[in-house]
Amino acid sequence: MFIYLCKKIAIPGNVRLRCISWNKDQGFIACGGEDGLLKVLKLETQTDEAKIKGLAAPSNLSVNQTLEGHSGSVQVVTWNEQYQKLTTSDQNGLIIVWMLYKGAWYEEMINNRNKSVVRSMSWNADGKKICIVYEDGAVIVGSVDGNRIWGKDLKGTHLCHVAWSSDSKVLLFGMSNGEIHIYDNQGNFIVKMKLSCLVNVTGAFSIAGIHWYHGTEGYIEPDCPCLAVCYDNGRCQIMRDENDHNPVLIDTGMNVVCIQWNHCGSVLAVAGSLKTTSQDKDVNIVQFYTPFGEHLRTLKVPGKQISALSWEGSGLKIALAVDSYIYFANIRPDYKWGYCSNTVVYAYTRPDRPEYCVVFWDTKNNEKYVKYVKSLISITTYGDFCVLATKADENQPQEEHETESIGATYVLVLCNSIGTPLDPKYIDIGPLFVTMTKTHVIAASKEAFYVWQYRVAKKLTAMEFNQVARTRKEGRERIYHVDDTPSGSAGGHLDYSRAIEFQGTRDPICAITASDKMLLVGRESGTLQHYSLPSVGMVQKFTLNCHAYQLSLNCNSSRVAVIDLSGVLTFFDLDTRVVTSTGEQMVGEQLKLERKDVWDMKWAKDNPDLFAMMEKTRMYVFRNLDPEEPIQTSGYICNFEDLEIKSVLLDEILKNPEHPNKDYIINFEIRSLRDSRALIEKVGIEESSQFIEDNPHPRLWRLLAEAALQKLDLQTAEQAFVRCRDYQGIKFVKRLGNLQSESMKQAEVAAYFSRFEEAERMYLDMDRRDLAIGLRIKLGDWFRVLQLLKTGSGDSDDALLEQAHNAIGDYFADRQKWLNAVQYYVQGRNQERLAECYYMLEDYQGLENLANSLPENNKLLPDIAYMFVRVGMCEQAVSAFLKCNRPKDAVDTCVHLNQWDKAVELAKNHNMKEIGSLLARYASHLLEKNKIFDAIELYRKANYFFEAAKLMFKIADEESKKRTKPLRVKKLYVLSALLIEQCHEQIQNAQKGKVKGKSSEAASALAGLLEEDVLSSTNRFADNAWRGAEAYHFFILAQRQLYKGSVQAALKTALHLRDYEDIIPAVEIYSLLALCACANRAFDICSKAFVKLESLETLRPEQRQQYEDLALEIFTRHSPKSNKKSDLDDMLDSIDGKLPVCVATGDPILEQRFWMCSVCKHCMKPKEASSRSFCPLCHSTI
């Protein structure tokens, strides 16, 4: 940063000032002094014209009001910005609150304790509470509307300072003995503050100031120190919070009067006086520090004694109360900014984010790109690229190849002009100084510098891509200690330990700069070390007469500009060879030119003798060390090229950084360009060409060429274009020479100078509508092309009309105005873009109509089909795929959208073989999700009956084991058997098809596969599919008959169950059989059933005992014999397989004629069949 005094205001009557405070929001300055003096001043608010000049605008007083009400010396003034109030207090303890009304300040409230004097007052961050401390230890906290919230008397203490924390939860009270006590916001004591800065201090001391920055503009770093405490002996500590035990310590070495943070907490101003050895009186100075204790600048202030200071709200000015004067100083901050390829890159802090907000503002298109960067150190730019130097994020893992060193702590991120990171490099030295050339980035700490030869992907050839991984080996990154003398021949390695083992140097680096050919490193002693690039070899050392703050090389590396710490600009010629008085030849010479108060300078990119510099609020342009007349501005110089200086008003931009305005980019033309333009306008082309011949520059020749073109002086124009090497210009002049018509030439020149309306009018006046249309097509103004086409005859313009409609459609589509685009695409018959628009509009009916209107096999049909697939419209997608003869894609779509029946149908219709694998895949997917019934349904729909039956049998078996209701299990077995029957039927049909020779090859193959599967299967259900159904049918029938009282019928049915022990558990079968036999008094059968039950291994001992006890009870009463043996003979015969069994009654069928079910092939007596509508077993219609 650079600071200089710019204005002085005298207080009438030479009244000595005691305090000053600058309102951060409205810009009012309140100053209090002896004899009740209280004034409110305001510097003029800037007009639009003045804004362009920034700080260079004159700043007169727009408000100068004396406030009357105090009689004693006014000692404390403090603003409440949020509620526009001013609170003041004098030596008599009188407090007055002033309010703003119609542009003037009036008394609103008065308070006087009449006991003690007010030492300090402080409003909290939101302006709702004020804390007032009196010398006698009384503390009052009041609200903005004048009500007292609480009061407390801290007995035995003398208070002198108070400060609120940013969250208003903590109060700091400064005591007259130098102690600082921490209280909560209700006035309860918490703890004494640890004062590290007072260690080893002897003698009396008092607090000069406590200022706690509240983070209103964000912080420059996460966890940044923000609470400053300073003592009159010059000792100062800056803390992160009130309990920080490791604060930043500063010994200013001066007698301190007052301290204050700037608007964003990045600079602490410390005002006071310094004893000088040469002079008897003290010198008033203001020292400026960063929150980390680094000294930035010193400002000397005239006068006897400085009493107070206050910053302006934007941090660009500071007001100092000295004796009976107010001095104003302008500040030129070291913004973090840069300029690359028409883009201004700047960084600022925000209260809502811990990171820096870095804005890449493209000034050409007025577009901005925002990037958030933690712990940003600096921004450096060159050409099209930008390097952001930051501290490494400790939580973020670093790539292995990036850090061969021991956990790098800093990062250099190479970005393009829209903020896209291209290449990060992790380094171990703090990048205090960073410079950049076309090929290198050089970063330096105080004792070492790091050289990185960067590459950008777009510039890599195919062969070089393989080498990128070996960047370290190629020596593209090197590090050197400033005390080393590298030869440049050895391929230096990235050895951090070598640079770090010298824990510093006696002569630290203070500035660096580089060009394509050389690197210059400035050291605090004034030594300037010259290294060659890219080899980095020490060439020589020069000696400067100052401590360099900023170095800058001109475009041919012959001169270096040096700005020192006090803002003095000097020049050093690197090429001059001087013979000293001893006859020794020296290289390098200090030039005679010296300028003071310089805070920025920039060499011209295309002329080694041209440079621009900023001196206070004036910009000077120098040619051969001779200045031109200055321009009033306070902009930062972006670029100096083509005799034009581009300057950016960063002060104005950073007042509203989220909305940069193009008005804040200013272009200045230097005198030779202005003179040449004036000559051409006033004198003529010939005389001007002589002047430009004497002062040649490509920009001036171009100016002459353009002026000659305007006057159709083609010869001069051609010569001038040759001199400025503009090949396109030469070709244009040649083309003009070939035109016969004068008006045609004028029209072409008008088009060349972008006066398109004029050129078009000329073409139309010549009746050359085709040329007017051609011009508009070149410009891409298709709306105008369409207008011109419609005004003509339009015979041969159909193709052009179609092109225009399509181009306008593209215009609307690019802006996502799909509805407008559709209208033009319809007229331009652009079916491809029309489909895209319908899709974006979700107009699927329109898309379907378009697909239907397209001819078969149109190349657009697959795209439309995929659009339908993406939104799940299966039918339309299939129709589109079939129309372009892609049945496989149609089937894939059906599968993708779970339309399996449609997929199967399509596969059959188009004789596709791979449907089996698709079904298997889908079925396995369903089974994984335990959707077995869905899988069965899938197989059934696809005519894979055998697979379906297998699954159904599996379910039936599982249900049977679970002891589910027998009727449900029977139904499941019936369904399984029915599927097997369908499978058999399918095989038979396939066989018939084979015989007849009518069936397709695919169907025959499928049937053959199924047949083999069934025949080779070892599954029990394949041979006799109805066994399970029969078992449960008879099981249910026997129980129904038993409950009805038909005990004989129940016994006959129960006897059939003996064949089904593999399906129904034996204990169930024989329990039922024993029960039926007992009820039928067939005790022999009952006895056998009990024998069987008692021999079952599955029974537990207690169960077996129960059966034995029951058998004993029955057979002691009844002999195990049966009287009805003859009735069961038929039954036993049928069980041996001689007779069919009636599924309705369980009886054997003795008649010759009986009914057989066409589905399950089971029989029934005619009498039973006549009374039923359905088969009792399979429930098919009779």
Side-chain angles (χ1 to χ4, degrees):
M1 64 176 280
F2 182 70
I3 183 164
Y4 59 91
L5 293 170
C6 62
K7 190 177 181 66
K8 175 182 176 185
I9 295 174
I11 301 298
N14 288 337
V15 180
R16 194 159 173 272
L17 293 173
R18 298 289 298 274
C19 50
I20 190 165
S21 182
W22 202 326
N23 184 315
K24 303 287 183 282
D25 289 351
Q26 290 89 31
F28 293 104
I29 304 162
C31 54
E34 291 173 350
D35 304 329
L37 171 86
L38 179 59
K39 269 184 171 294
V40 173
L41 315 170
K42 189 177 184 182
L43 298 177
E44 260 179 359
T45 50
Q46 295 181 349
T47 58
D48 287 342
E49 187 188 342
K51 267 188 180 176
I52 301 305
K53 290 185 174 180
L55 289 177
S59 50
N60 300 319
L61 291 177
S62 62
V63 174
N64 184 359
Q65 184 187 354
T66 302
L67 307 186
E68 294 182 359
H70 289 288
S71 54
S73 173
V74 176
Q75 294 179 333
V76 186
V77 292
T78 180
W79 289 102
N80 181 340
E81 280 101 353
Q82 287 83 349
Y83 292 92
Q84 296 192 358
K85 292 184 190 298
L86 170 65
T87 315
T88 59
S89 175
D90 62 22
Q91 69 187 59
N92 303 323
L94 174 68
I95 300 171
I96 304 179
V97 178
W98 309 83
M99 57 177 266
L100 181 64
Y101 178 70
K102 291 187 177 177
W105 291 89
Y106 296 95
E107 216 172 78
E108 184 186 19
M109 288 181 269
I110 289 183
N111 180 28
N112 196 349
R113 268 180 78 231
N114 292 321
K115 284 187 181 176
S116 179
V117 60
V118 174
R119 278 290 167 217
S120 182
M121 295 186 287
S122 177
W123 288 97
N124 70 345
D126 60 12
K128 290 179 180 173
K129 291 181 190 173
I130 188 170
C131 183
I132 303 164
V133 297
Y134 290 84
E135 194 173 39
D136 65 357
V139 177
I140 296 171
V141 173
S143 66
V144 70
D145 51 14
N147 295 323
R148 181 185 177 119
I149 297 171
W150 59 265
K152 198 158 192 174
D153 200 358
L154 307 180
K155 289 179 179 160
T157 59
H158 289 284
L159 299 175
C160 63
H161 284 279
V162 64
W164 287 94
S165 65
S166 55
D167 59 5
S168 305
K169 289 181 179 175
V170 172
L171 276 166
L172 303 183
F173 294 131
M175 310 293 170
S176 57
N177 63 0
E179 287 182 358
I180 296 173
H181 293 189
I182 303 168
Y183 281 71
D184 69 9
N185 59 1
Q186 298 304 313
N188 302 312
F189 176 73
I190 301 173
V191 72
K192 283 185 184 179
M193 183 183 284
K194 185 183 176 191
L195 299 168
S196 310
C197 62
L198 295 178
V199 176
N200 302 329
V201 171
T202 54
F205 52 83
S206 63
I207 300 170
I210 303 172
H211 193 196
W212 202 332
Y213 167 60
H214 288 161
T216 44
E217 297 282 329
Y219 296 92
I220 59 168
E221 208 174 277
D223 201 25
C224 179
C226 56
L227 167 56
V229 176
C230 196
Y231 287 84
D232 60 353
N233 61 6
R235 295 295 181 96
C236 182
Q237 71 180 43
I238 310 177
M239 310 165 75
R240 287 159 184 81
D241 56 54
E242 71 277 11
N243 299 314
D244 188 356
H245 291 299
N246 189 21
V248 174
L249 303 178
I250 306 170
D251 187 356
T252 60
M254 58 191 264
N255 189 24
V256 181
V257 174
C258 180
I259 63 165
Q260 197 180 15
W261 285 110
N262 68 344
H263 68 302
C264 64
S266 61
V267 180
L268 178 69
V270 181
S273 56
L274 190 67
K275 279 196 166 20
T276 53
T277 48
S278 56
Q279 299 169 329
D280 295 339
K281 62 177 184 139
D282 294 351
V283 178
N284 293 320
I285 60 166
V286 183
Q287 303 270 29
F288 295 88
Y289 295 92
T290 69
F292 302 99
E294 294 157 20
H295 181 255
L296 293 170
R297 290 277 163 167
T298 301
L299 174 70
K300 287 185 181 175
V301 186
K304 286 183 184 172
Q305 190 182 355
I306 191 165
S307 54
L309 70 84
S310 188
W311 287 86
E312 183 212 17
S314 63
L316 299 176
K317 279 185 163 69
I318 195 165
L320 308 164
V322 183
D323 305 332
S324 58
Y325 298 96
I326 302 173
Y327 287 92
F328 291 95
N330 278 349
I331 287 151
R332 307 311 298 127
D334 285 335
Y335 292 118
K336 291 176 172 37
W337 79 286
Y339 179 81
C340 57
S341 66
N342 293 314
T343 301
V344 176
V345 187
Y346 59 90
Y348 68 98
T349 53
R350 284 169 51 160
D352 58 336
R353 293 194 73 124
E355 312 100 327
Y356 264 96
C357 180
V358 182
V359 178
F360 291 78
W361 174 39
D362 184 342
T363 56
K364 202 172 185 180
N365 306 324
N366 203 20
E367 290 177 353
K368 64 184 182 65
Y369 308 89
V370 178
K371 182 181 174 67
Y372 292 98
V373 181
K374 265 191 183 173
S375 307
L376 180 70
I377 298 167
S378 66
I379 296 174
T380 313
T381 50
Y382 187 92
D384 296 339
F385 302 103
C386 158
V387 166
L388 306 177
T390 71
K391 285 186 182 174
D393 190 347
E394 293 168 10
N395 306 324
Q396 192 176 326
Q398 296 160 8
E399 294 177 35
E400 202 173 310
H401 70 273
E402 287 292 3
T403 50
E404 292 170 6
S405 60
I406 40 155
T409 47
Y410 300 95
V411 197
L412 299 176
V413 185
L414 181 71
C415 300
N416 61 13
S417 60
I418 60 169
T420 309
L422 303 174
D423 196 0
K425 284 284 177 260
Y426 291 84
I427 59 172
D428 253 359
I429 60 167
L432 300 176
F433 316 99
V434 184
T435 188
M436 195 175 175
T437 71
K438 195 162 56 184
T439 52
H440 288 78
V441 171
I442 299 106
S445 64
K446 289 196 169 176
E447 60 277 322
F449 61 91
Y450 158 90
V451 181
W452 163 30
Q453 184 180 346
Y454 67 90
R455 290 188 185 182
V456 184
K458 69 173 186 180
K459 294 182 180 174
L460 291 176
T461 62
M463 287 178 68
E464 286 176 308
F465 262 109
N466 301 326
Q467 298 171 12
V468 174
R470 305 202 312 268
T471 54
R472 286 274 159 86
K473 292 175 187 172
E474 292 170 13
R476 275 185 44 222
E477 288 177 71
R478 287 163 290 176
I479 192 161
Y480 302 92
H481 195 276
V482 71
D483 294 333
D484 285 351
T485 311
S487 65
S489 57
H493 293 293
L494 190 67
D495 184 6
Y496 282 106
S497 57
R498 169 83 186 111
I500 291 162
E501 67 188 37
F502 305 94
Q503 284 297 328
T505 173
R506 288 183 179 176
D507 188 5
I509 297 171
C510 59
I512 62 170
T513 187
S515 67
D516 294 343
K517 295 190 281 188
M518 66 170 71
L519 164 66
L520 294 178
V521 176
R523 304 178 72 170
E524 287 184 4
S525 63
T527 304
L528 187 65
Q529 295 180 188
H530 171 191
Y531 299 87
S532 60
L533 280 182
S535 57
V536 195
M538 171 75 85
V539 178
Q540 65 198 108
K541 293 184 180 181
F542 304 105
T543 305
L544 302 174
N545 303 329
C546 60
H547 175 149
Y549 175 70
Q550 182 184 324
L551 298 173
S552 183
L553 275 165
N554 65 354
C555 62
N556 67 358
S557 307
S558 60
R559 284 180 180 173
V560 61
V562 183
I563 301 176
D564 72 7
L565 272 172
S566 52
V568 176
L569 171 67
T570 52
F571 293 86
F572 195 82
D573 196 312
L574 301 169
D575 294 345
T576 314
R577 297 186 179 276
V578 186
V579 179
T580 59
S581 53
T582 56
E584 197 180 334
Q585 197 174 40
M586 295 266 295
V587 177
E589 179 190 14
Q590 186 97 25
L591 299 180
K592 299 233 170 5
L593 178 70
E594 184 178 291
R595 304 289 295 202
K596 291 181 179 173
D597 292 327
V598 177
W599 51 271
D600 194 12
M601 77 84 58
K602 186 79 83 179
W603 289 98
K605 282 188 175 178
D606 45 17
N607 186 333
D609 297 327
L610 266 180
F611 69 88
M613 52 157 268
M614 297 300 304
E615 189 177 289
K616 290 191 174 176
T617 51
R618 291 184 296 278
M619 179 194 286
Y620 288 90
V621 176
F622 282 74
R623 182 190 289 274
N624 291 328
L625 307 184
D626 294 327
E628 295 180 6
E629 62 276 8
I631 302 160
Q632 286 285 320
T633 179
S634 56
Y636 287 72
I637 304 167
C638 294
N639 196 26
F640 188 179
E641 197 172 12
D642 269 353
L643 309 183
E644 253 188 355
I645 298 162
K646 192 184 284 277
S647 175
V648 56
L649 296 174
L650 281 173
D651 302 331
E652 299 303 321
I653 285 173
L654 286 161
K655 283 176 186 171
N656 186 6
E658 289 175 38
H659 305 286
N661 188 333
K662 278 183 110 168
D663 294 344
Y664 299 146
I665 297 283
I666 309 170
N667 289 318
F668 299 104
E669 295 184 342
I670 76 163
R671 191 170 64 195
S672 58
L673 183 55
R674 295 197 303 270
D675 291 352
S676 302
R677 187 170 273 124
L679 270 174
I680 289 166
E681 285 169 9
K682 291 174 186 167
V683 182
I685 287 173
E686 284 183 24
E687 292 81 352
S688 310
S689 79
Q690 188 55 51
F691 172 77
I692 294 168
E693 190 79 56
D694 298 338
N695 299 281
H697 192 280
R699 176 69 191 273
L700 300 181
W701 284 117
R702 196 178 316 125
L703 194 68
L704 181 66
E706 288 170 359
L709 269 183
Q710 300 272 26
K711 296 184 177 173
L712 294 181
D713 180 351
L714 300 186
Q715 190 181 352
T716 308
E718 187 175 8
Q719 287 171 354
F721 275 132
V722 167
R723 295 296 290 269
C724 65
R725 299 177 184 180
D726 185 344
Y727 183 65
Q728 282 82 5
I730 299 166
K731 293 282 282 182
F732 177 67
V733 172
K734 290 259 194 249
R735 190 156 58 80
L736 278 185
N738 295 334
L739 297 174
Q740 303 304 317
S741 158
E742 199 73 14
S743 55
M744 184 74 85
K745 287 180 183 177
Q746 284 171 347
E748 288 286 333
V749 168
Y752 181 82
F753 288 115
S754 304
R755 300 197 303 269
F756 303 118
E757 302 296 328
E758 189 185 321
E760 186 191 299
R761 199 169 57 251
M762 288 177 175
Y763 285 139
L764 292 174
D765 291 345
M766 288 184 277
D767 201 21
R768 290 299 301 272
R769 194 167 59 93
D770 59 324
L771 291 176
I773 290 170
L775 173 68
R776 289 296 174 185
I777 289 174
K778 267 186 201 166
L779 295 173
D781 185 356
W782 290 98
F783 291 96
R784 184 68 186 139
V785 170
L786 199 57
Q787 279 180 336
L788 291 168
L789 285 169
K790 285 178 179 174
T791 55
S793 57
D795 292 338
S796 58
D797 290 337
D798 282 355
L800 203 52
L801 205 58
E802 210 168 275
Q803 190 185 354
H805 280 128
N806 284 330
I808 294 172
D810 290 342
Y811 170 86
F812 283 121
D814 289 344
R815 285 152 185 78
Q816 298 190 352
K817 294 181 178 175
W818 308 108
L819 215 53
N820 305 44
V822 163
Q823 298 165 13
Y824 286 98
Y825 284 140
V826 167
Q827 291 176 35
R829 296 201 284 273
N830 189 340
Q831 292 155 334
E832 197 171 326
R833 294 308 300 270
L834 202 53
E836 193 182 323
C837 288
Y838 282 140
Y839 181 63
M840 297 308 287
L841 282 169
E842 298 181 14
D843 179 1
Y844 302 118
Q845 188 56 51
L847 197 58
E848 192 176 348
N849 295 342
L850 177 64
N852 294 338
S853 68
L854 290 172
E856 287 191 2
N857 293 325
N858 187 293
K859 63 175 185 178
L860 191 57
L861 281 166
D863 295 338
I864 293 176
Y866 283 121
M867 287 177 187
F868 284 128
V869 172
R870 283 197 287 273
V871 292
M873 297 175 72
C874 185
E875 197 178 323
Q876 290 84 344
V878 166
S879 148
F881 276 131
L882 293 178
K883 197 168 182 181
C884 61
N885 197 21
R886 289 169 69 166
K888 185 180 182 311
D889 288 333
V891 171
D892 290 345
T893 297
C894 292
V895 170
H896 177 63
L897 298 174
N898 288 337
Q899 301 290 322
W900 291 90
D901 47 350
K902 185 88 175 161
V904 172
E905 188 186 326
L906 283 169
K908 280 182 180 173
N909 294 346
H910 292 85
N911 301 328
M912 296 171 70
K913 292 179 182 176
E914 63 267 22
I915 191 69
S917 62
L918 286 172
L919 283 169
R921 203 170 69 224
Y922 183 50
S924 65
H925 166 73
L926 289 170
L927 291 171
E928 273 173 24
K929 293 192 170 181
N930 209 23
K931 294 183 178 177
I932 301 177
F933 285 108
D934 292 352
I936 292 167
E937 182 65 12
L938 168 71
Y939 277 133
R940 198 180 67 75
K941 275 187 180 177
N943 294 342
Y944 276 52
F945 301 116
F946 187 70
E947 298 295 329
K950 271 206 293 197
L951 288 174
M952 189 58 93
F953 270 115
K954 188 180 170 190
I955 292 175
D957 286 345
E958 283 172 4
E959 291 292 312
S960 168
K961 284 172 189 164
K962 285 184 195 168
R963 315 300 301 120
T964 315
K965 288 182 180 177
L967 186 59
R968 175 177 165 78
V969 180
K970 177 196 165 182
K971 286 178 182 176
L972 291 169
Y973 276 124
V974 167
L975 279 171
S976 314
L978 287 170
L979 286 166
I980 287 288
E981 291 301 329
Q982 283 178 289
C983 175
H984 288 314
E985 194 180 332
Q986 190 183 38
I987 293 170
Q988 285 165 10
N989 291 343
Q991 295 299 336
K992 282 179 195 169
K994 270 188 200 171
V995 174
K996 290 178 184 174
K998 289 179 185 174
S999 176
S1000 67
E1001 195 180 317
S1004 304
L1006 188 67
L1009 282 169
L1010 283 165
E1011 186 181 13
E1012 283 172 31
D1013 200 2
V1014 173
L1015 293 173
S1016 64
S1017 172
T1018 54
N1019 289 324
R1020 59 182 173 74
F1021 61 79
D1023 304 328
N1024 189 352
W1026 292 96
R1027 267 180 64 74
E1030 287 168 9
Y1032 273 91
H1033 173 71
F1034 289 132
F1035 185 62
I1036 294 165
L1037 182 61
Q1039 299 202 45
R1040 279 181 182 160
Q1041 288 169 334
L1042 185 63
Y1043 276 96
K1044 254 190 213 172
S1046 311
V1047 289
Q1048 190 172 2
L1051 177 59
K1052 287 179 184 176
T1053 309
L1055 281 166
H1056 289 299
L1057 292 173
R1058 293 177 299 174
D1059 288 344
Y1060 301 107
E1061 285 184 30
D1062 57 331
I1063 296 167
I1064 300 173
V1067 68
E1068 299 273 345
I1069 293 171
Y1070 291 107
S1071 296
L1072 180 61
L1073 184 56
L1075 184 62
C1076 292
C1078 191
N1080 204 29
R1081 303 190 71 76
F1083 293 113
D1084 56 340
I1085 296 172
C1086 182
S1087 170
K1088 286 176 184 173
F1090 269 107
V1091 168
K1092 192 76 175 172
L1093 279 168
E1094 288 167 18
S1095 64
L1096 287 176
E1097 292 175 2
T1098 54
L1099 292 180
R1100 295 197 301 275
E1102 59 268 23
Q1103 285 176 321
R1104 187 175 285 111
Q1105 187 61 46
Q1106 283 175 330
Y1107 281 122
E1108 285 174 2
D1109 294 349
L1110 185 59
L1112 189 66
E1113 194 180 330
I1114 292 168
F1115 295 120
T1116 50
R1117 291 186 194 175
H1118 307 283
S1119 170
K1121 291 178 185 175
S1122 176
N1123 304 323
K1124 303 176 183 180
K1125 188 159 186 169
S1126 58
D1127 297 341
L1128 292 170
D1129 285 344
D1130 297 338
M1131 184 72 213
L1132 295 167
D1133 288 344
S1134 72
I1135 289 169
D1136 293 341
K1138 293 173 186 173
L1139 298 170
V1141 179
C1142 173
V1143 288
T1145 60
D1147 288 348
I1149 300 172
L1150 304 170
E1151 293 92 338
Q1152 288 295 317
R1153 295 185 64 191
F1154 52 83
W1155 176 87
M1156 180 183 277
C1157 177
S1158 60
V1159 177
C1160 64
K1161 307 293 186 288
H1162 284 72
C1163 306
M1164 195 165 40
K1165 291 181 178 180
K1167 189 173 108 180
E1168 295 292 335
S1170 61
S1171 63
R1172 293 173 185 270
S1173 305
F1174 301 98
C1175 169
L1177 181 65
C1178 69
H1179 297 269
S1180 55
T1181 312
I1182 292 176

